[in-house]
Amino acid sequence: MLRKIDKHSGVPAYLQIVNMIKSEILLGNLQKGSQLPSIIDLQVIFDVNINTVIKALEKLKNEGYIESEQGIGYFIKKDIDVEEGVIKIIRECVTKLKNSRIDYYTSMLIFEEVWKNE
């Protein structure tokens, strides 16, 4: 579900938008060929400047997730397929983290450090 960005998260607004759209693709809510809302509608949904929306869409376009048709809009270009086994491992990891009372932000810091060092 696309929603307002968190202006106090410390993550640039355009990256939050990129991540939200990628999440929607990953979850199957936005599928290959689906049209995104107009830039003006996205501006209202995310509650950001229009230039922020355009920057996010350009990043997604450069990464190959969306494509644009002049005068028509932006469309999902590819799906994000993740093996079910990978999702299962992540769910198990999240369960262990929660059972260990490790909060989301600490989990992300751990994940980032492990990612960098592998």
Side-chain angles (χ1 to χ4, degrees), residues 11-92:
V11 176
Y14 83 97
L15 287 178
Q16 290 183 56
I17 294 168
V18 167
N19 291 336
M20 267 191 256
I21 292 174
K22 283 182 180 178
S23 292
E24 291 300 304
I25 296 170
L26 179 64
L27 295 171
N29 297 331
L30 292 173
Q31 298 176 346
K32 185 176 180 178
S34 298
Q35 185 172 4
L36 289 172
S38 71
I39 291 174
I40 305 261
D41 288 343
L42 291 172
Q43 177 187 11
V44 171
I45 291 167
F46 296 125
D47 189 26
V48 294
N49 182 289
I50 197 162
N51 293 323
T52 303
V53 173
I54 292 169
K55 185 173 182 178
L57 293 175
E58 285 303 310
K59 181 163 178 53
L60 287 163
K61 190 174 173 182
N62 290 336
E63 291 179 1
Y65 289 102
I66 65 172
E67 58 190 351
S68 62
E69 291 186 33
Q70 186 68 30
I72 298 175
Y74 289 87
F75 296 85
I76 304 303
K77 186 175 180 181
K78 68 178 182 180
D79 293 322
I80 302 173
D81 294 321
V82 178
E83 294 178 32
E84 185 57 37
V86 172
I87 302 282
K88 181 180 177 190
I89 290 168
I90 292 170
R91 284 193 176 118
E92 290 169 357

